[in-house]
Amino acid sequence: MRRWLLRALTLVSAFALAACGAKGGVATVEGGTLHLSINQTAEHPMTVALKTMADNFSERTDGRWTLVIHPNEVLGAQREVIQLLQDDIVELAIVNGSQLENLNHDFRVFNLPFVFDDIDHQMAVVNNPEITKDLYSSLTGSNIEVIAAYTGGERSLYTKRGPINQPADLSGMKIRVQETDTNLRMIRQMSGSPTPMSYGEVYTALQAGVINGAENNEVSYVQQKHYEVAKQWSYTRHLIIPDYLIASHAMMQRFTPEDKAIFDELLAQSVTDEIKLWNDTTNEALETMKSAGVTITEPDADAFRKAIEPMINDSLTTDAQRELFEKTRALAGGK
Ligand code: GCU
């Protein structure tokens, strides 16, 4: 299925390029089909918000543009899709901050534990161009542009055995993490054994006992059905990592100014929509967890914070990172 889809997309993208016209030295396109990859279900808040955006974009451009959303990792895991986007085969993709950290370490600042106090703080920072402008355009040389940031909620731990009350309870447990040094170190600080793997592999790994637990938000835990195979949820709330909508930089240049203005307006709306959907979907997920018999506990938050905190300063290795961190913290508490 994936191979077939990718072959079709490669052909379409060659056609789209051939259809370009030149205006004032920049090759613009009047319309076409854009492909967006996301590793979440069709019901996930980001997928839903982006689907609304896709429908409105088509309507507002009189059907000249179509935005096709490919959910459920059908085009590949985030890491693979970044490559497709760099090659201009896929024009848009949702990727976690962790993936961008591997391409530019400055993204790490927004991926650190406790950097954001809550989702409101996160959103005030990650969509503030005064703070993010340079960071989000830092990968254009690799054809990647960050065009929006969405909340992926607060991440907590879930395990097959439990409860997890304090870091020592994770000793000897293999905990799946996203593939970055920051995530690996974070679990080590919590006394666990980090096991990096892609999102789509987690269910089977939990089921087979290859890992003893993982960490994520309530929505992913429920929509990916991880609660079926790991029934202990411990509210550590250690991370609030953003998800980014990344775009092919080349494609973003091909819009006419009029279409780009419509696209940007709908994009901003999708961020607002997603936050609302996020809160509703999280509440629904919590209800599902309770009715499915998940054991939900509030561990010793201070003990986890104390274990993790030493890595924060060490992780800020450049002036740019320290400056980003300070600007982020300056907006904490609604300041
Ligand atoms: C969340 C996040 C995804 C990420 C996933 C993961 O669901 O929104 O972008 O891929 O966690 O843990 O891999």
Side-chain angles (χ1 to χ4, degrees), residues 39-40 46 78 96 155 176 178 199 216-217 220 243:
N39 64 357
Q40 310 288 2
M46 277 170 227
Q78 291 181 349
N96 193 262
R155 295 173 79 103
R176 177 269 172 172
Q178 297 189 80
Y199 194 44
N216 220 314
N217 56 66
S220 290
D243 276 303

Side-chain angles (χ1 to χ4, degrees), residues 156-173:
S156 286
L157 282 171
Y158 50 96
T159 46
K160 290 176 74 113
R161 288 185 273 123
I164 304 297
N165 292 320
Q166 39 215 329
D169 296 334
L170 280 185
S171 172
M173 283 201 192

Side-chain angles (χ1 to χ4, degrees), residues 28 254 319:
T28 53
R254 288 186 207 123
D319 286 346

Side-chain angles (χ1 to χ4, degrees), residues 28 37 54 113 148 179 265 327 329:
T28 53
S37 169
E179 311 96 316
E265 180 198 322
K327 285 184 178 166
R329 291 307 306 159

